[in-house]
Amino acid sequence: GSPYPYVLSDQEWRSKLSSEEYYVLRQGGTERFGKGEFCRFFPKSGYFSCRACDHPLYSSASKFNDAGWDAYSTCFHSDG
């Protein structure tokens, strides 16, 4: 089995993701400074998840602004 359970062909990834998401998530790119969808979004509850596999990554409470880049003080953790 694959060490990463969410396996898609390159064509499936291209169909699932926007061109910018594909560039960032599959080709190691970086979104432009200050232009991210969630750059100025600071919800009080919930979590941010991976755009590719929907796995929770960071709790909303851990997000802070670090000179214009999104930053998170801790990874998402669930006891459930």
Side-chain angles (χ1 to χ4, degrees), residues 31-53:
E31 64 186 7
R32 291 184 354 196
F33 176 77
K35 300 296 182 187
E37 177 180 352
F38 299 109
C39 187
R40 292 172 187 82
F41 181 62
F42 291 87
K44 300 292 184 200
S45 63
Y47 59 87
F48 293 92
S49 60
C50 175
R51 187 71 100 188
C53 70

Side-chain angles (χ1 to χ4, degrees), residues 8-25:
L8 297 176
S9 70
D10 187 63
Q11 185 58 43
E12 289 170 315
W13 282 119
R14 289 179 186 275
S15 294
K16 178 178 177 61
L17 303 170
S18 71
S19 59
E20 184 176 14
E21 291 167 347
Y22 184 86
Y23 171 67
V24 171
L25 295 169

Side-chain angles (χ1 to χ4, degrees), residues 57-69:
L57 298 175
Y58 305 103
S59 71
S60 297
S62 73
K63 183 178 179 187
F64 64 96
N65 191 316
D66 185 22
W69 290 101

